[in-house]
Amino acid sequence: MWFYRKRTISGMLKISNLTKKYKEIIAVDNFNFEIKSGHIYGIVGPNGAGKTTFFKLLAGLAVPTSGQVNVSTGESIEIFRRRMSFMIENPYLYESMTALENIKIIGGIKGETNEENLKQLLELVKIDKTGKKKVKQFSLGMKQRLGIACALASNPEVLILDEPMNGVDPEGIVELREILLDLCKEKNITLLISSHILGELFQLSSDFVFIKGGQIIDMIDKETLKNTGLDLEQYYMREIIGNEQR
């Protein structure tokens, strides 16, 4: 039913010495790691750690002070961004319009004008029954869902979501998890997701990147994390909070 086509992702991103400074503040400090196709990366860290700045660098919304992002196919990151989609901080939505009117406008900008396809995206995130209700009347969780639907309108190969579960009720979080897992498994979409809901992020992600004070302090895949005998929250407390106490 859903219009997305399954395809093999053509590229993998390699982040090399990526740094962003704002005057004397180093928001992102020498990031180095690879984003592999078909993985779900949980980006973990406290407020102000540099997660959003990192996402903005990937999106081209901020210019790195030094370092670069390379694509394994050899094409430029500027070209590859056409196959990426982002929801950073709060989704930008037209508050006086309906969900369908929003996604028709944003879909048109992204090159998707088929109304039935766009309606299927609203159905996917469970807001297809909102009718004439204006977005300004939506809960925060409903706005997050609409933002995700709009981000999917371009059929991206890489999807980056900054706190997508913010304001979503427990039932909605489970539904979002199933949606995002399907995007990865069935549609081969690579995801980078930040969230403070660590239990949910643990269930969702295949890999974890821990950021503190603008630095990557640890990277670990789910299986290795499981072998430590700790869940994500316990590991976070050890790596982030424990380091503060040393």
Side-chain angles (χ1 to χ4, degrees), residues 99 115 126 149 229 235:
E115 185 170 327
K126 312 291 186 185
Y235 197 86

Side-chain angles (χ1 to χ4, degrees), residues 74-90:
E75 64 189 311
S76 68
I77 183 59
E78 289 77 17
I79 296 296
F80 189 78
R81 282 192 186 110
R82 298 173 186 173
R83 303 199 300 278
M84 301 171 72
S85 196
F86 309 86
M87 191 177 79
I88 298 176
E89 297 178 323
N90 296 322

Side-chain angles (χ1 to χ4, degrees), residues 9-15 33-41 70 72 80 157-159 184 188-192 206-207 209 219 221:
I9 296 175
S10 57
M12 179 175 64
L13 302 179
K14 184 175 182 180
I15 298 158
F33 75 102
E34 292 184 349
I35 299 172
K36 298 179 180 179
S37 300
H39 287 231
I40 301 178
Y41 291 88
N70 294 314
S72 63
F80 189 78
E157 295 181 3
V158 178
L159 179 61
C184 181
N188 291 334
I189 297 179
T190 300
L191 293 105
L192 282 79
S206 59
D207 302 82
V209 180
M219 291 182 286
D221 62 72

Side-chain angles (χ1 to χ4, degrees), residues 46-144:
N47 290 334
K51 304 186 298 295
T52 298
T53 300
F54 170 54
F55 285 168
K56 287 181 176 179
L57 290 170
L58 291 179
L61 298 175
V63 179
T65 304
S66 60
Q68 56 193 344
V69 181
N70 294 314
V71 186
S72 63
T73 56
E75 64 189 311
S76 68
I77 183 59
E78 289 77 17
I79 296 296
F80 189 78
R81 282 192 186 110
R82 298 173 186 173
R83 303 199 300 278
M84 301 171 72
S85 196
F86 309 86
M87 191 177 79
I88 298 176
E89 297 178 323
N90 296 322
Y92 180 81
L93 301 170
Y94 298 95
E95 295 277 326
S96 62
M97 296 184 179
T98 66
L100 181 58
E101 289 169 339
N102 265 270
I103 201 168
K104 285 172 70 174
I105 291 175
I106 296 171
I109 293 171
K110 293 175 178 288
E112 178 54 66
T113 57
N114 185 300
E115 185 170 327
E116 288 306 310
N117 289 346
L118 296 171
K119 285 180 178 179
Q120 286 182 37
L121 286 176
L122 296 181
E123 183 179 351
L124 177 75
V125 298
K126 312 291 186 185
I127 53 170
D128 55 309
K129 307 297 185 184
T130 55
K132 296 182 179 180
K133 188 175 183 178
K134 305 299 184 184
V135 168
K136 62 185 176 184
Q137 299 172 302
F138 283 13
S139 67
L140 181 55
M142 291 171 66
K143 290 179 180 179
Q144 294 289 86

Side-chain angles (χ1 to χ4, degrees), residues 199-214:
E200 188 59 35
L201 199 62
F202 178 75
Q203 295 189 65
L204 181 60
S205 305
S206 59
D207 302 82
F208 305 94
V209 180
F210 292 83
I211 301 174
K212 178 183 175 184

